[in-house]
Each structure stands twice: as C-alpha cells, then as structure tokens.
Amino acid sequence: MSPDPSPLHWVDDSAYWSANRAQHAIVGDYELIAYDIPPTGDAAAKIGWEIYTGPNQSQLLRACLESHA
C-alpha cells in the first residue's frame, strides 16, 4: 500500500436506479460503492455499501445497514 494514497473521486452510479443516490469510486485495486435506498411499505430505508476487489473488481464484500430514523 502506498504511504500517500490517492484522494477519493466519487462518481454518480446510475446502475442503482432504485436508490435515492448511488456513487462509486476506484481506489487502487478496489471499487467502492455507496447507496441510499428509500423506505417502501413496511420496509425501512437502507444505507448500503459494497467493496469489490480481485481481478476486474469481481469479488464482492458487502454490508448493508438499516436506517432506524
């Protein structure tokens, strides 16, 4: 890992069309994705993020947090 990493440059990501907002950034060998899913019916709003790594950022590490607002 470089001692002076490049700054993050977030770009809107239209692939997450159902999100209020989604963006991605490339950092070294990783692709970071963050998104905000609105509540629907009885389902709570969700803020999620994904990290892809490996060849062509094809391996997914994922987490999703539920909003309790």
Side-chain angles (χ1 to χ4, degrees):
M1 179 179 241
S2 170
D4 185 19
S6 301
L8 286 176
H9 177 70
W10 290 96
V11 178
D12 289 339
D13 192 331
S14 61
Y16 292 81
W17 55 267
S18 64
N20 286 327
R21 184 171 184 170
Q23 294 186 319
H24 73 266
I26 302 293
V27 180
D29 293 334
Y30 299 92
E31 179 179 17
L32 313 174
I33 300 172
Y35 49 87
D36 163 21
I37 306 291
T40 57
D42 292 336
K46 293 186 179 186
I47 297 171
W49 55 269
E50 298 175 359
I51 301 173
Y52 290 88
T53 188
N56 301 316
Q57 286 92 17
S58 61
Q59 296 173 333
L60 171 66
L61 305 168
R62 183 176 176 198
C64 187
L65 304 173
E66 289 189 10
S67 168
H68 296 286

